[in-house]
Amino acid sequence: HVQLVESGGGSVQAEGSLRLSCAHSGVTRSTGWMGWFREAPGKEREGVAYLNIYAANTVSHEDSVVGRFTISNDNAKNVLYLQMNSLKPEDTAVYNCAVGGSLYDLRRVRPKYWGQGTQVTVS
């Protein structure tokens, strides 16, 4: 049974930083691809960053966040992170972590399981 619980959202001024956390359980090797996604008001949900928690060198980020956001996973704590630096107002969105499927599925915003989401507001 997969469980995902996000935390760490909030309000921040432009150029500020936030770190999102996603405590996860029940993620097996067959569902090891995890990612962060976001949905801004009036826009479709989009992928932000991805990695496979059971494989090395699998980190990738979408172009809109390259150089500003970093996805990582603490294998000992079972926590997925999204470090967000140099935040912009256009980063304002509800951010979800999600898991399952392949990288192909994640890039097409088709994971199997979703967390409840956490709001990030940049002003």
Side-chain angles (χ1 to χ4, degrees), residues 9 24 33 40 50 75 86 123:
H24 56 83
W33 280 102
Y50 323 96
N75 290 329
S86 302
S123 59

Side-chain angles (χ1 to χ4, degrees), residues 2-9 19-25 27 31-39 45-51 53 70-73 78-84 93-101 106 109-120:
V2 174
Q3 288 189 313
L4 305 170
V5 180
E6 300 103 329
S7 61
R19 188 177 76 163
L20 305 183
S21 300
C22 174
H24 56 83
S25 62
V27 179
T31 58
W33 280 102
M34 297 192 70
W36 285 99
F37 300 80
R38 65 185 181 185
E39 186 172 7
R45 181 178 282 166
E46 63 178 3
V48 174
Y50 323 96
L51 60 71
I53 66 171
T70 303
I71 188 173
S72 64
N73 185 67
N78 286 341
V79 179
L80 184 75
Y81 296 105
L82 185 67
Q83 178 66 45
M84 305 186 294
V94 174
Y95 285 72
N96 296 83
C97 70
V99 65
L106 295 188
V109 197
R110 296 190 315 217
K112 291 184 177 180
Y113 306 99
W114 292 93
Q116 84 285 356
T118 186
Q119 176 71 45
V120 171

Side-chain angles (χ1 to χ4, degrees), residues 11-19 68-69 83-89 91 120-123:
S11 297
V12 65
Q13 292 187 336
E15 296 303 313
S17 297
L18 282 174
R19 188 177 76 163
R68 300 188 301 123
F69 292 11
Q83 178 66 45
M84 305 186 294
N85 300 327
S86 302
L87 282 160
K88 305 175 182 180
D91 294 318
V120 171
T121 302
V122 185
S123 59

